[in-house]
Amino acid sequence: MKKITRLVLAGVILPALTLGQAKVRLTNYVNPLIGTTVLTDSAELGYNPPWRTWNGLVGPAACVPFGMVEAVPITTYGSGSGYEYEVNTIKAFAQTSGTDWEGENIPIMPLEGKNFTADDFASTYTHAKETARPGYYQVLLDRYNINAELTATKRAAYYKFTYKGGQDKKLAFDLVHAGGGSSTWEINKAGDNIVVGRQGSLYFYAVMNHKIKSIDISKRNPNQPDIPRSGQGAGGQRKLTGNIDMPVISFEKSDKPLEVKIGLSSVSPDGAKLNCTTEIANKNFNQVYKEADESWEKLLNQVKVTGGTQKQKVMFYSCLYRQFWYPCVTSDVDGKVAIYERRKHVPGEIVSPAATHTLKDTIPGFETYQSPGFWDVFRTQLVVVDMLQPEVSNNIIKSLIFTGEHSGGFLPTSFHGDFASSYIAGSYLRGIRGYDVQKAYHLMLNNANTPTSSSVRGARPHNGEYLRLGYVPEANIPHPTTETVSTAGTTKTLEFAYSDYSIALMAKALGDKGTYNTMMKRSKNYKNVFDPQTELMRGRLADGKWYAPFDPQYPYYEFMYREANAWQASFFVPQDPHGLIALYKSPKDFELKVDSLFSIPWGGYAKDNLSCFLGQFCMGNQPDINYPYLYYFVNKPAKSQAVLNTLMSKYFGMGPEGLALAGMDDHGSLTGFYVFAAMGIYPYSPADPEYIVSVPVFDKIEMQLGGDKKFTITKKGGGKNIDKITIGGAPLKGWFVDYDDMRKGKGLDIYTK
């Protein structure tokens, strides 16, 4: 008789494995609780935490890939996803989640009898009675003895609440609460078992399997404070505003579990109804969950790994799973979408943010997506989407064009920088071209060439100064602190230079030689903020002088650097690493500088967004995420590999539960790093269709890319470092593998020593 083994990890039952067999469902490797907990150990964080740190901020929401709906348990409003593992009470179940304090919309909570008030209805729970899987979440609400189960389609949530004591069933809609703070709301009965309403500009249509007896209002204490997001930037408690009371639905007696189906729409109440009736109305809970599970299984099966430990497979597939949450679909099932239009920018004109209006129902003719958080995800996550879901990437770009044409003629700049251009260029060069390329190119050039200032609504703040000086100057502010807000000019210069390079790649592909030459010249602007005395990128004033005094270890949010110190910002020149090295006295001098990056101890600064360090390098944030590969450019890949091995083994699955990440995942950016590093390929310059090669965690990785070809990576031997590399049986020239070779199905063999 063959031996059967099972492994339970933090509430998730991992696959039943029959020794000698390899057939397991890949969804069983996924642990949605990874990235939900917190670090408290100063040795791991790099400082003594004075607040709840940001180690993942993801949640165990029930959803399908890129779903508009992410049905999530809420333990803490405004906490990122809404779920914090260490908090032992659940306040509600919301229909949207996130990783950046937005979402957490339309919270509902099953109740019973009279054992609650609007100020006191949260329930305790334990992780021993909690299950999280792709497309499914379950928890026992101890206070009410209700077993809650959640699943979802793309635009609708499905709840099954099993009352174990025969109680009177009630359902609260806590609509004043959302991740962003107090919300306006309304709710109305629309049938014997139907309610409709909205929270802010998000509409819902909810169908229950029980007949509604009444909708009552539970009064809330007007002095009850709302709880803001965790962390340094919380700003203290705040009061709820607007209609703070809570509608509670009572139902006619029934022995059946209470089932709730909720469709969402940003367009209209009719859109919410159509999304619900089309996607979920005629299906039972198990059908919807099975379809959700299958959607994840199909997606994860595009990457199959052999070898590695059980822990490594759990981490890999849990990280791969996070690559397909965002951006979320925004269009309804009939193709309608709400779009906010701004009038076109006139050069020199200051346009008020209020000068907007909402279009009526619009049908662009394709499935639309929200704008990605480019500053975070252009580096890793969007490249994964390019490779495995090119049709989704194509529609994301079409959505950017559609939105850009209705919002003043610009691409979104997201949090910082101008990386929509980098994303579009990289996607185009990876063969994703099913959109109006000239329109996309026009928007890219608008972003790059419009001489904006900080007060003009448009792309690239301070671009006028960048175009005039070749860098974004910093203000001469005495005694700045981490929270000082200025231009973040050094980081902007580096980021704009990379985006200029990305546009140059696009121009070259389109045969626009003039723009190519201009943008390639501008891509060298990083040199204008390199201080040869400190050998670091440094803030520069408008008169050309360096900002002083200068402490390269002190971190800033928006002064000189964006969420970084000088060490974490100074090596972001992925378009020209050899040009960067040439600024140093010698390649050896550069190597020693990188040695210092990974060895000078972090100064103990406790700052949001910055956590978990290897020397000055911060694994918990995005600005320096490709720096482990710097040694390749002085022909020392073994030193890079040592850094990568340390990061993958010690900075993912941290903390006592093994569930913490080094920092905010930010829509899959941090987990995307692990996905690529574990596979042994990494998009060092995401706009370039090539990947730097390292030693993979696994013996074999098979990738079903967007086309019909399968790309295979094979690790040869049991060594820790690269001996030689072949592609399609031929020696690889240099350290980068071309995406064209990958798409042709040429095998990548990495020989180790």
Side-chain angles (χ1 to χ4, degrees):
M1 184 174 179
K2 293 179 179 178
K3 184 179 178 182
I4 305 292
T5 63
R6 291 177 77 84
L7 174 63
V8 178
L9 177 61
V12 176
I13 301 177
L14 296 176
L17 300 177
T18 303
L19 298 187
Q21 296 180 350
K23 291 184 178 180
V24 296
R25 290 186 66 79
L26 298 182
T27 51
N28 288 339
Y29 284 117
V30 175
N31 185 350
L33 295 175
I34 289 176
T36 64
T37 191
V38 64
L39 291 175
T40 57
D41 187 345
S42 60
E44 292 182 304
L45 284 166
Y47 54 82
N48 291 313
W51 47 71
R52 203 257 188 209
T53 57
W54 298 348
N55 300 110
L57 297 190
V58 301
C63 62
V64 297
F66 308 106
M68 178 188 297
V69 164
E70 296 167 348
V72 65
I74 300 294
T75 65
T76 313
Y77 284 106
S79 61
S81 70
Y83 178 92
E84 293 179 331
Y85 184 87
E86 72 279 9
V87 179
N88 68 350
T89 56
I90 288 177
K91 293 178 172 64
F93 300 97
Q95 316 318 307
T96 64
S97 186
T99 64
D100 51 7
W101 306 287
E102 299 301 323
E104 303 164 33
N105 296 112
I106 311 175
I108 66 172
M109 184 68 170
L111 307 172
E112 59 88 13
K114 298 181 180 179
N115 183 26
F116 65 90
T117 68
D119 297 318
D120 178 17
F121 61 90
S123 173
T124 58
Y125 77 104
T126 64
H127 296 299
K129 297 179 181 179
E130 176 187 48
T131 306
R133 292 179 50 82
Y136 177 82
Y137 177 81
Q138 172 275 327
V139 68
L140 181 68
L141 301 174
D142 295 331
R143 176 172 177 172
Y144 306 111
N145 199 22
I146 298 172
N147 187 57
E149 296 177 89
L150 291 60
T151 189
T153 63
K154 190 174 287 186
R155 299 172 179 87
Y158 198 149
Y159 294 86
K160 184 177 181 180
F161 300 122
T162 302
Y163 288 67
K164 299 199 169 186
Q167 312 98 309
D168 289 337
K169 301 182 181 71
K170 297 180 184 291
L171 184 67
F173 279 73
D174 190 17
L175 297 173
V176 72
H177 275 115
S182 301
S183 292
T184 59
W185 58 271
E186 61 181 90
I187 187 171
N188 296 290
K189 185 178 178 182
D192 287 345
N193 62 334
I194 299 169
V195 293
V196 298
R198 66 169 181 85
Q199 184 185 56
S201 60
L202 185 62
Y203 300 95
F204 65 90
Y205 178 89
V207 181
M208 284 71 69
N209 67 334
H210 290 15
K211 188 175 180 179
I212 296 172
K213 181 165 59 175
S214 64
I215 302 178
D216 304 304
I217 299 297
S218 181
K219 293 291 185 179
R220 182 173 263 127
N221 181 352
N223 296 316
Q224 182 80 2
D226 193 15
I227 304 300
R229 71 189 191 190
S230 305
Q232 180 189 17
Q237 293 186 332
R238 57 196 173 186
K239 291 183 179 180
L240 294 171
T241 60
N243 185 352
I244 66 173
D245 297 329
M246 185 173 72
V248 179
I249 301 174
S250 297
F251 298 96
E252 301 287 355
K253 279 283 189 179
S254 174
D255 293 333
K256 295 180 179 180
L258 173 61
E259 296 187 357
V260 185
K261 301 175 181 180
I262 305 178
L264 301 187
S265 172
S266 295
V267 177
S268 68
D270 289 340
K273 178 179 179 180
L274 185 64
N275 289 340
C276 185
T277 56
T278 302
E279 292 190 351
I280 207 168
N282 298 317
K283 297 175 182 178
N284 63 39
F285 186 91
N286 289 339
Q287 283 178 289
V288 174
Y289 168 45
K290 182 179 179 181
E291 290 173 3
D293 181 71
E294 287 295 336
S295 69
W296 285 112
E297 183 68 19
K298 180 180 179 181
L299 195 48
L300 296 175
N301 260 285
Q302 287 187 248
V303 184
K304 297 179 180 179
V305 301
T306 304
T309 65
Q310 182 83 350
K311 181 180 178 181
Q312 288 168 334
K313 287 180 179 177
V314 168
M315 184 56 64
F316 177 78
Y317 281 109
S318 298
C319 289
L320 184 62
Y321 162 73
R322 291 292 174 185
Q323 304 310 291
F324 308 108
W325 278 50
Y326 304 102
C328 299
V329 165
T330 56
S331 53
D332 288 344
V333 72
D334 61 357
K336 291 181 180 179
V337 64
I339 185 76
Y340 292 86
E341 184 173 74
R342 298 188 184 98
R343 57 193 179 89
K344 278 200 170 185
H345 169 65
V346 176
E349 177 189 31
I350 296 178
V351 181
S352 166
T356 65
H357 66 275
T358 306
L359 291 177
K360 294 182 179 180
D361 300 349
T362 305
I363 303 179
F366 57 92
E367 194 165 65
T368 61
Y369 291 79
Q370 64 187 177
S371 175
F374 285 111
W375 192 75
D376 303 304
V377 298
F378 93 98
R379 308 164 199 265
T380 55
Q381 184 259 348
L382 284 177
V383 183
V384 177
V385 177
D386 270 357
M387 295 168 66
L388 300 181
Q389 293 285 285
E391 68 284 356
V392 172
S393 265
N394 195 77
N395 279 346
I396 294 171
I397 296 172
K398 290 172 78 172
S399 301
L400 293 171
I401 297 169
F402 177 74
T403 303
E405 290 187 319
H406 289 87
S407 61
F410 295 109
L411 294 168
T413 52
S414 182
F415 178 75
H416 205 253
D418 183 25
F419 294 124
S421 295
S422 302
Y423 167 56
I424 293 172
S427 299
Y428 182 85
L429 295 173
R430 291 181 179 89
I432 299 170
R433 302 176 182 182
Y435 48 89
D436 192 319
V437 175
Q438 288 300 324
K439 285 185 178 180
Y441 186 52
H442 175 72
L443 292 170
M444 293 164 70
L445 292 175
N446 277 0
N447 276 36
N449 293 328
T450 302
T452 55
S453 69
S454 60
S455 59
V456 175
R457 176 175 285 278
R460 287 199 184 185
H462 303 283
N463 198 43
E465 296 162 297
Y466 175 77
L467 295 175
R468 180 168 55 88
L469 298 173
Y471 65 94
V472 176
E474 191 49 78
N476 194 8
I477 298 174
H479 312 296
T481 66
T482 297
E483 293 76 22
T484 296
V485 175
S486 186
T487 67
T490 308
T491 291
K492 277 189 174 67
T493 301
L494 297 171
E495 293 178 348
F496 290 173
Y498 183 72
S499 295
D500 290 340
Y501 170 77
S502 304
I503 295 170
L505 295 178
M506 193 78 166
K508 183 178 181 180
L510 297 177
D512 184 353
K513 293 183 180 179
T515 298
Y516 170 77
N517 291 333
T518 297
M519 292 299 171
M520 282 302 292
K521 182 179 179 180
R522 280 165 51 173
S523 75
K524 308 295 184 181
N525 281 342
Y526 69 88
K527 297 179 182 181
N528 296 333
V529 290
F530 180 80
D531 173 19
Q533 182 177 358
T534 62
E535 295 185 320
L536 293 169
M537 303 295 176
R538 183 172 175 180
R540 198 168 190 176
L541 307 179
D543 62 5
K545 295 179 181 178
W546 298 113
Y547 179 82
F550 179 62
D551 180 355
Q553 296 186 35
Y554 190 82
Y556 296 99
Y557 292 150
E558 291 186 76
F559 182 80
M560 291 197 288
Y561 314 107
R562 190 59 162 130
E563 293 186 1
N565 66 13
W567 286 100
Q568 293 148 7
S570 288
F571 303 94
F572 182 74
V573 190
Q575 73 273 26
D576 190 20
H578 294 292
L580 174 64
I581 293 170
L583 297 176
Y584 289 78
K585 298 181 184 69
S586 66
K588 182 63 178 178
D589 184 44
F590 176 80
E591 180 186 350
L592 292 173
K593 199 71 172 181
V594 178
D595 287 346
S596 296
L597 166 70
F598 291 110
S599 61
I600 294 176
W602 177 248
Y605 301 107
K607 304 297 179 183
D608 282 341
N609 300 102
L610 299 170
S611 57
C612 302
F613 305 90
L614 185 60
Q616 292 292 302
F617 172 81
C618 178
M619 187 68 253
N621 207 15
Q622 289 76 21
D624 55 1
I625 202 169
N626 66 350
Y627 292 6
Y629 296 91
L630 287 168
Y631 288 112
Y632 275 78
F633 303 103
V634 290
N635 205 33
K636 297 289 181 70
K639 295 180 81 168
S640 281
Q641 192 66 55
V643 173
L644 290 170
N645 292 346
T646 297
L647 295 176
M648 285 190 288
S649 62
K650 295 183 179 180
Y651 291 71
F652 290 83
M654 303 175 75
E657 305 91 356
L659 295 174
L661 297 177
M664 290 175 64
D665 191 34
D666 281 322
H667 296 171
S669 57
L670 211 61
T671 46
F673 171 89
Y674 187 92
V675 167
F676 278 118
M679 293 193 299
I681 56 174
Y682 191 86
Y684 183 79
S685 170
D688 283 294
E690 62 181 15
Y691 302 79
I692 198 166
V693 179
S694 61
V695 177
V697 166
F698 305 103
D699 297 330
K700 187 176 183 181
I701 303 101
E702 298 172 282
M703 302 178 65
Q704 188 68 50
L705 301 177
D708 297 328
K709 294 290 186 178
K710 182 183 292 184
F711 171 61
T712 302
I713 303 170
T714 306
K715 180 171 66 174
K716 304 281 190 178
K720 292 184 178 181
N721 296 306
I722 294 174
D723 185 21
K724 65 176 182 177
I725 308 168
T726 62
I727 182 71
L732 181 69
K733 296 179 181 178
W735 301 111
F736 286 86
V737 58
D738 289 334
Y739 192 61
D740 278 347
D741 287 335
M742 295 165 62
R743 286 197 300 167
K744 291 173 184 176
K746 294 184 179 181
L748 178 67
D749 292 333
I750 303 168
Y751 294 81
T752 63
K753 60 182 178 182

